[in-house]
Amino acid sequence: DGGITQSPKYLFRKEGQNVTLSCEQNLNHDAMYWYRQDPGQGLRLIYYSQIVNDFQKGDIAEGYSVSREKKESFPLTVTSAQKNPTAFYLCASSTRGLPSSYEQYFGPGTRLTVT
Amino acid sequence: DAKTTQPTSMDCAEGRAANLPCNHSTISGNEYVYWYRQIHSQGPQYIIHGLKNNETNEMASLIITEDRKSSTLILPHATLRDTAVYYCIVRVADNTDKLIFGTGTRLQVFP
């Protein structure tokens, strides 16, 4: 089945530790995105990548880092510099080009808890 | 900032039509309106999108006013599984393919 996988579903870390969240897609999509969601809030864009080896900061990139070495993979690292890392993290991917056919597909999310 | 305004919550009886409004008064001529929904603790799911004509698919219908300043998502026969947060999004008209999510409408379908 084609889709986006995120692992793990739940992740627990101690404060001060970096943690990397996995996102893999087999949809052959060029663009990938990372969002953060806090309770009762909408999604906020952290980073996005429109092509391999290139990525751009979103609205809340501070304390996060990404890489895009392969088309299928877009891992997100939550660093110790992120002051409030506990949140629900969502990865998405999309084709590029025609706005009439554009659609973002989302993974199931990773719920990160930092104590 | 989100470019849309939606009611915080709505209720709908099972089997009835759910009509979810959205205001996007500052929308530009080449910007599309997208609807996604998010069932609790899952990733958002695409529903439908449109530019200026009304659209319909197997999930829903999208009615966009002639001036494009507002739209309505219609779920024709709501079921309990349609209980979710529904996001109305105006896609940013640049080459970044970004979507900007607001806080959405929490739709509760009751028996």
Side-chain angles (χ1 to χ4, degrees), chain B residues 4 9 12 15 21 24 27 34 54 56 61 63 65 74 79-80 90:
Chain B
T4 63
S9 63
C12 179
H24 31 79
I27 193 169
Y34 286 77
N54 297 339
T56 296
S61 294
I63 309 298
T65 57
I74 301 173
T79 71
L80 298 178
V90 170

Side-chain angles (χ1 to χ4, degrees), chain B residues 13 28-29 81 104:
Chain B
S28 299
R81 286 178 295 181

Side-chain angles (χ1 to χ4, degrees), chain A residues 14-34:
Chain A
K14 294 290 187 183
E15 191 174 336
Q17 294 179 332
N18 291 354
V19 59
T20 297
L21 281 60
S22 167
C23 177
E24 304 278 333
Q25 56 99 359
N26 60 5
L27 299 167
N28 199 34
H29 286 168
D30 288 312
M32 297 186 73
Y33 313 81
W34 274 106

Side-chain angles (χ1 to χ4, degrees), chain B residues 36-47:
Chain B
Y36 280 75
R37 73 179 183 183
Q38 186 178 25
I39 296 170
H40 182 62
S41 294
Q42 297 182 21
Q45 175 191 23
Y46 166 82
I47 301 173

Side-chain angles (χ1 to χ4, degrees), chain B residues 3 24-33 51 68 90-91 93:
Chain B
K3 300 177 66 173
H24 31 79
S25 58
T26 61
I27 193 169
S28 299
N30 60 348
E31 291 180 324
Y32 281 72
V33 178
L51 183 62
R68 302 212 323 123
V90 170
R91 183 185 166 196

Side-chain angles (χ1 to χ4, degrees), chain B residues 84-101:
Chain B
V85 177
Y86 287 77
Y87 296 100
C88 170
I89 301 162
V90 170
R91 183 185 166 196
V92 177
D94 59 19
N95 67 347
T96 65
D97 302 329
K98 292 191 297 184
L99 298 176
I100 299 176
F101 286 77

Side-chain angles (χ1 to χ4, degrees), chain A:
Chain A
D1 288 334
I4 301 176
T5 57
Q6 292 185 244
S7 60
K9 189 170 178 63
Y10 298 95
L11 191 55
F12 298 88
R13 280 293 183 271
K14 294 290 187 183
E15 191 174 336
Q17 294 179 332
N18 291 354
V19 59
T20 297
L21 281 60
S22 167
C23 177
E24 304 278 333
Q25 56 99 359
N26 60 5
L27 299 167
N28 199 34
H29 286 168
D30 288 312
M32 297 186 73
Y33 313 81
W34 274 106
Y35 294 89
R36 168 186 173 134
Q37 187 174 34
D38 293 289
Q41 303 298 311
L43 282 67
R44 292 185 289 168
L45 184 64
I46 304 173
Y47 267 98
Y48 63 100
S49 168
Q50 296 176 289
I51 197 168
V52 174
N53 293 322
D54 186 50
F55 48 83
Q56 306 296 328
K57 292 182 179 180
D59 301 318
I60 56 166
E62 186 175 349
Y64 300 97
S65 65
V66 294
S67 63
R68 187 84 187 280
E69 297 177 1
K70 298 187 300 181
K71 188 175 185 178
E72 304 78 19
S73 178
F74 191 41
L76 173 75
T77 297
V78 184
T79 75
S80 56
Q82 169 50 232
K83 296 179 181 178
N84 296 296
T86 294
F88 187 45
Y89 290 88
L90 288 154
C91 179
S93 70
S94 70
T95 56
R96 300 209 59 225
L98 294 176
S100 60
S101 61
Y102 173 85
E103 179 181 334
Q104 278 191 22
Y105 294 81
F106 284 82
T110 291
R111 191 167 298 278
L112 173 66
T113 302
V114 177
T115 58

